Amino acid sequence: MTAPPIEFLPASVPWGPRSTSTRSASSSSNTDPLIEPLGDYGGPIETIAKVVNGAGGSWSARGTILFAPDRGGPLYEVPERGGEPVAVSTLDRSRGQRAHLWPSFLPDGRRFVYFASSDDPAQRGLYLGESGSPDARWLAMADGAGLWAAPRHLLFTRKGMLVAQAVD
Protein backbone atom coordinates (compact mmCIF):
# COMPACT_ATOMS: atom_id res chain seq x y z
CA MET A 1 0.00 0.00 0.00
CA THR A 2 1.36 3.41 -0.97
CA ALA A 3 0.97 6.33 1.44
CA PRO A 4 -1.02 9.30 0.15
CA PRO A 5 0.90 12.40 -0.89
CA ILE A 6 1.59 14.90 1.87
CA GLU A 7 -0.06 18.27 1.38
CA PHE A 8 1.14 21.52 2.96
CA LEU A 9 -1.53 23.16 5.09
CA PRO A 10 -1.30 26.50 6.89
CA ALA A 11 -0.59 26.50 10.65
CA SER A 12 -4.13 27.72 11.36
CA VAL A 13 -5.75 24.57 9.96
CA PRO A 14 -7.30 22.34 12.65
CA TRP A 15 -6.23 18.70 12.37
CA GLY A 16 -8.65 15.89 13.10
CA PRO A 17 -8.29 14.15 16.47
CA ARG A 18 -7.19 10.89 14.86
CA SER A 19 -4.85 12.62 12.36
CA THR A 20 -6.64 10.91 9.47
CA SER A 21 -8.34 13.95 8.02
CA THR A 22 -8.15 17.68 8.42
CA ARG A 23 -10.20 20.80 7.98
CA SER A 24 -8.94 23.54 5.75
CA ALA A 25 -9.66 27.25 5.74
CA SER A 26 -9.68 27.61 1.99
CA SER A 27 -11.69 28.56 -1.04
CA SER A 28 -11.58 27.89 -4.71
CA SER A 29 -12.63 31.48 -5.40
CA ASN A 30 -10.59 33.22 -2.63
CA THR A 31 -13.60 35.49 -2.03
CA ASP A 32 -15.66 33.09 0.07
CA PRO A 33 -13.33 31.16 2.41
CA LEU A 34 -14.68 27.97 3.97
CA ILE A 35 -13.80 25.32 6.50
CA GLU A 36 -13.88 22.08 4.53
CA PRO A 37 -12.96 18.51 5.43
CA LEU A 38 -10.27 16.89 3.35
CA GLY A 39 -11.49 13.30 3.45
CA ASP A 40 -9.26 10.40 4.39
CA TYR A 41 -6.83 9.84 1.54
CA GLY A 42 -8.54 12.34 -0.74
CA GLY A 43 -12.22 11.69 -0.02
CA PRO A 44 -14.98 14.15 -0.90
CA ILE A 45 -14.89 17.77 0.27
CA GLU A 46 -17.91 19.25 2.05
CA THR A 47 -18.46 22.79 3.32
CA ILE A 48 -18.55 22.98 7.14
CA ALA A 49 -18.54 26.74 7.85
CA LYS A 50 -17.63 30.05 6.23
CA VAL A 51 -14.71 32.12 7.47
CA VAL A 52 -13.74 35.67 6.57
CA ASN A 53 -10.13 36.03 7.72
CA GLY A 54 -9.64 32.96 9.90
CA ALA A 55 -7.37 33.02 12.92
CA GLY A 56 -6.97 29.44 14.03
CA GLY A 57 -9.05 26.44 14.89
CA SER A 58 -9.08 23.24 16.91
CA TRP A 59 -10.92 19.94 16.42
CA SER A 60 -11.90 17.91 19.49
CA ALA A 61 -12.19 14.14 19.79
CA ARG A 62 -15.88 14.66 20.61
CA GLY A 63 -16.46 15.94 17.06
CA THR A 64 -16.53 19.70 17.53
CA ILE A 65 -14.56 22.26 15.56
CA LEU A 66 -13.73 25.47 17.41
CA PHE A 67 -12.58 28.37 15.23
CA ALA A 68 -12.04 32.10 14.88
CA PRO A 69 -13.84 33.01 11.64
CA ASP A 70 -12.24 36.45 11.55
CA ARG A 71 -9.76 38.60 13.43
CA GLY A 72 -12.31 40.86 15.08
CA GLY A 73 -14.80 38.85 17.10
CA PRO A 74 -15.54 35.86 19.32
CA LEU A 75 -14.85 32.16 18.81
CA TYR A 76 -17.42 29.82 17.27
CA GLU A 77 -17.97 26.08 17.30
CA VAL A 78 -19.62 23.83 14.77
CA PRO A 79 -20.15 20.05 14.62
CA GLU A 80 -17.60 18.30 12.40
CA ARG A 81 -20.43 17.21 10.11
CA GLY A 82 -21.55 20.80 9.61
CA GLY A 83 -24.38 22.92 10.92
CA GLU A 84 -24.90 26.45 12.13
CA PRO A 85 -21.83 27.86 13.94
CA VAL A 86 -22.55 29.05 17.49
CA ALA A 87 -20.55 31.70 19.38
CA VAL A 88 -18.77 30.16 22.38
CA SER A 89 -16.97 33.24 23.68
CA THR A 90 -17.94 36.84 24.32
CA LEU A 91 -15.61 39.80 23.95
CA ASP A 92 -15.09 41.56 27.28
CA ARG A 93 -15.18 45.23 26.29
CA SER A 94 -14.28 46.26 29.89
CA ARG A 95 -10.88 44.62 29.24
CA GLY A 96 -10.57 46.27 25.83
CA GLN A 97 -10.85 42.92 24.03
CA ARG A 98 -10.95 43.15 20.24
CA ALA A 99 -10.83 39.49 19.22
CA HIS A 100 -10.53 35.92 20.46
CA LEU A 101 -8.01 34.02 18.36
CA TRP A 102 -6.03 30.78 18.00
CA PRO A 103 -8.21 28.41 20.08
CA SER A 104 -6.83 25.06 21.20
CA PHE A 105 -8.88 22.30 22.85
CA LEU A 106 -7.49 20.70 25.99
CA PRO A 107 -7.45 16.88 26.14
CA ASP A 108 -10.95 16.67 27.71
CA GLY A 109 -12.41 18.08 24.45
CA ARG A 110 -14.62 20.61 26.29
CA ARG A 111 -12.23 23.18 27.73
CA PHE A 112 -10.06 25.28 25.46
CA VAL A 113 -7.36 27.92 25.60
CA TYR A 114 -7.46 31.01 23.40
CA PHE A 115 -5.63 34.28 22.91
CA ALA A 116 -7.55 37.52 23.49
CA SER A 117 -6.23 40.60 21.74
CA SER A 118 -6.86 43.82 23.64
CA ASP A 119 -6.30 47.56 23.42
CA ASP A 120 -4.84 47.23 26.94
CA PRO A 121 -1.49 45.34 26.85
CA ALA A 122 -2.03 44.19 30.46
CA GLN A 123 -5.21 42.36 29.37
CA ARG A 124 -3.70 40.76 26.24
CA GLY A 125 -3.16 37.07 26.83
CA LEU A 126 -4.49 33.57 27.31
CA TYR A 127 -7.89 32.63 28.68
CA LEU A 128 -9.57 29.34 29.49
CA GLY A 129 -13.06 28.75 28.11
CA GLU A 130 -15.45 25.82 28.08
CA SER A 131 -18.00 24.72 25.50
CA GLY A 132 -21.48 25.53 26.76
CA SER A 133 -20.33 28.18 29.25
CA PRO A 134 -20.01 31.94 28.70
CA ASP A 135 -17.40 32.19 31.48
CA ALA A 136 -13.70 32.66 30.77
CA ARG A 137 -10.78 32.54 33.17
CA TRP A 138 -7.60 34.58 32.80
CA LEU A 139 -4.51 32.36 32.54
CA ALA A 140 -1.49 34.46 31.61
CA MET A 141 -0.12 37.41 29.69
CA ALA A 142 1.09 36.14 26.30
CA ASP A 143 2.20 37.28 22.87
CA GLY A 144 -0.09 34.88 21.01
CA ALA A 145 -1.49 31.34 20.96
CA GLY A 146 -1.02 28.75 23.68
CA LEU A 147 -0.53 25.02 23.11
CA TRP A 148 -1.19 22.13 25.47
CA ALA A 149 1.85 19.96 26.27
CA ALA A 150 1.09 16.72 28.10
CA PRO A 151 0.94 15.89 30.85
CA ARG A 152 -0.02 19.30 32.32
CA HIS A 153 1.70 22.30 30.76
CA LEU A 154 0.67 25.19 28.59
CA LEU A 155 3.33 26.46 26.15
CA PHE A 156 3.29 30.05 24.92
CA THR A 157 5.51 33.06 24.38
CA ARG A 158 5.71 36.16 26.54
CA LYS A 159 7.94 39.06 25.53
CA GLY A 160 9.61 36.79 22.98
CA MET A 161 10.50 34.07 25.52
CA LEU A 162 9.08 30.52 25.50
CA VAL A 163 7.11 29.79 28.69
CA ALA A 164 5.95 26.40 29.99
CA GLN A 165 3.30 27.02 32.68
CA ALA A 166 1.94 24.16 34.79
CA VAL A 167 -1.87 23.88 34.65
CA ASP A 168 -4.07 22.21 37.29
Side-chain angles (χ1 to χ4, degrees):
M1 180 167 141
T2 305
I6 296 172
E7 297 181 39
F8 171 78
L9 296 170
S12 64
V13 172
W15 284 89
R18 292 162 295 285
S19 297
T20 56
S21 13
T22 189
R23 306 291 180 191
S24 176
S26 67
S27 171
S28 57
S29 67
N30 288 329
T31 60
D32 194 17
L34 308 169
I35 294 178
E36 302 171 327
L38 298 177
D40 299 344
Y41 301 102
I45 296 176
E46 305 167 35
T47 298
I48 300 298
K50 292 184 179 185
V51 297
V52 177
N53 187 12
S58 187
W59 189 358
S60 79
R62 66 184 184 90
T64 300
I65 298 171
L66 180 65
F67 66 105
D70 59 51
R71 296 169 189 259
L75 299 174
Y76 286 79
E77 70 178 11
V78 65
E80 67 185 352
R81 298 286 180 213
E84 190 65 32
V86 176
V88 294
S89 68
T90 302
L91 298 180
D92 186 341
R93 300 293 183 189
S94 70
R95 293 179 181 225
Q97 291 182 354
R98 302 179 73 175
H100 294 163
L101 312 166
W102 314 115
S104 180
F105 274 113
L106 297 182
D108 66 11
R110 296 203 51 81
R111 293 177 300 155
F112 54 89
V113 174
Y114 63 92
F115 177 75
S117 67
S118 174
D119 294 327
D120 179 356
Q123 299 297 324
R124 198 174 295 144
L126 298 176
Y127 289 78
L128 179 68
E130 184 170 350
S131 293
S133 172
D135 300 328
R137 189 176 90 185
W138 169 260
L139 293 175
M141 287 181 69
D143 300 333
L147 294 173
W148 178 256
R152 55 181 224 105
H153 284 84
L154 186 61
L155 301 177
F156 58 94
T157 60
R158 179 187 298 141
K159 296 182 181 180
M161 302 294 291
L162 179 62
V163 177
Q165 180 172 316
V167 177
D168 292 333

